[in-house]
Amino acid sequence: MNDMLALFVATLNVTVPVFAMVFLGLGLKRLGWIDDTFIGTASSLVFKGTMPALVFLSIVRADLDHALRPGMLTYFALATLGTFLLLWGWAILRVPRNERGEVVQGSFRGNCAIVGLALAANLYGDLGLSMGGILMGVVILSYNMLSVVVLSSYLGDGRTSWSGIARGIITNPLILGVLAALPFAAFSWQLPEWLETSGDYFARMTLPLALICIGGTLSMRSLREGRKLALSASLMKMISVPLLATTVAVLLGFRGTELGVLFLFFASPTAAASFVMVRAMGGNDRLAANIIAISTLMAGITITAGIFVLKLSGLV
């Protein structure tokens, strides 16, 4: 019993700091200490600067023999495609046509870049951050392509802009950060000490700033107005998808760090980018916002429970 309690406390030590920052952001917004202008500027800084720097440095310092896991990357891509198709099939049967795109995207597109990376860093340190940084390349490719496909099927003129997808992927700062770092890791190139230290100062802002911004964008009013569809999509995202994808990963033999990082990425709450994309394409942005809010608030419980079960069973 004492061992189980100690394990549960250790699990809380991984997840609580991350979600405490999210709720801090929510509290700061309600107190008026931060506003929408701050959140917009800080989010832009994180996306364009500090997060690419964090990913770059984590890969530069990584031993690619340990951090680069082709099997894990391949499985994540295939599992994402498989769950996406299952969710689309479910939506065809259960969701009104005019809201299928928003529900499907909200059900599969996780906030891996912030929540997933933060939890991987808390659980596995630099190795988790390096593995997660490399995995972000697959995340960005798969999430953006599949999101545009499903949204284009129900919103706008019904046509998929593949040139727009390619342009968005090629110019994505996180992708550029990964690509820039790979030669340094592969050939053991060293950055000047002063540059690496300055980069550290810059990159360390990423996770607390990004998590505070997530909290600042949460709307309790939207949560109270949450509709049945938003709750259904959130349950799919936070329970069905990680449960199915992680179970298959276990059956395929994934264990330890690989399984832990896979679970954290599958179990991440719905990404804020889903709201941006829905709004840009003229969809139901309130539904998209509700899914983000509900899944983010659920994440503290579902992710903590998932890590605890995986640790208790000796799988991670």
Side-chain angles (χ1 to χ4, degrees):
M1 186 66 180
N2 288 336
D3 290 343
M4 187 176 295
L5 180 60
L7 180 59
F8 182 67
V9 171
T11 303
L12 291 178
N13 288 337
V14 172
T15 58
V16 168
V18 172
F19 294 104
M21 295 302 293
V22 173
F23 285 105
L24 176 61
L26 178 61
L28 292 175
K29 178 69 180 299
R30 291 178 70 87
L31 289 171
W33 292 11
I34 62 175
D35 55 17
D36 291 335
T37 301
F38 171 86
I39 292 169
T41 302
S43 297
S44 179
L45 175 63
V46 167
F47 177 69
K48 295 178 180 178
T50 67
M51 185 168 290
L54 178 69
V55 170
F56 175 84
L57 289 173
S58 68
I59 295 175
V60 164
R61 295 164 176 165
D63 180 353
L64 286 187
D65 291 338
H66 290 90
L68 182 60
R69 312 290 178 98
M72 183 183 74
L73 302 179
T74 302
Y75 175 72
F76 184 87
L78 293 176
T80 297
L81 176 60
T83 53
F84 169 78
L85 294 175
L86 288 174
L87 290 166
W88 199 344
W90 163 75
I92 290 173
L93 296 175
R94 304 295 297 273
V95 178
R97 179 179 174 81
N98 63 332
E99 293 176 320
R100 285 177 193 163
E102 295 91 330
V103 168
V104 173
Q105 185 191 212
S107 300
F108 90 91
R109 185 172 190 164
N111 198 343
C112 303
I114 298 174
V115 177
L117 276 180
L119 289 167
N122 270 14
L123 189 57
Y124 296 116
D126 289 340
L127 177 59
L129 195 55
S130 301
M131 290 173 62
I134 295 172
L135 185 55
M136 280 307 304
V138 178
V139 169
I140 293 167
L141 287 168
S142 57
Y143 281 5
N144 279 284
M145 292 177 65
L146 296 177
S147 293
V148 172
V149 168
V150 72
L151 291 175
S152 297
S153 298
Y154 298 104
L155 303 176
D157 58 11
R159 292 181 297 178
T160 301
S161 174
W162 292 108
S163 62
I165 296 174
R167 185 167 55 252
I169 291 171
I170 291 171
T171 60
N172 187 291
L174 289 175
I175 289 286
L176 296 177
V178 171
L179 293 178
L182 288 176
F184 283 84
F187 299 109
S188 300
W189 295 344
Q190 297 293 317
L191 291 171
E193 185 175 348
W194 68 267
L195 181 58
E196 186 170 348
T197 301
S198 299
D200 263 334
Y201 292 156
F202 188 58
R204 285 174 188 168
M205 294 190 293
T206 301
L207 298 179
L209 193 57
L211 293 168
I212 286 173
C213 288
I214 289 177
T217 58
L218 288 180
S219 169
M220 299 307 292
R221 184 168 64 106
S222 292
L223 182 61
R224 288 192 295 267
E225 295 172 357
R227 298 167 55 190
K228 182 179 178 181
L229 277 180
L231 179 59
S232 296
S234 299
L235 290 171
M236 287 289 184
K237 179 69 195 76
M238 300 312 302
I239 297 177
S240 300
V241 168
L243 181 61
L244 175 61
T246 306
T247 299
V248 174
V250 170
L251 294 175
L252 290 176
F254 287 98
R255 296 291 187 276
T257 310
E258 287 187 345
L259 182 63
V261 172
L262 283 170
F263 167 74
L264 293 174
F265 273 50
F266 286 127
S268 294
T270 303
S274 65
F275 170 83
V276 175
M277 189 170 286
V278 166
R279 189 168 190 173
M281 298 183 70
N284 187 343
D285 55 0
R286 174 162 291 187
L287 174 58
N290 287 343
I291 296 171
I292 294 167
I294 295 172
S295 64
T296 301
L297 293 174
M298 290 175 61
I301 297 173
T302 57
I303 294 177
T304 300
I307 294 175
F308 178 70
V309 170
L310 290 173
K311 282 180 168 289
L312 188 64
S313 59
L315 294 171
V316 300

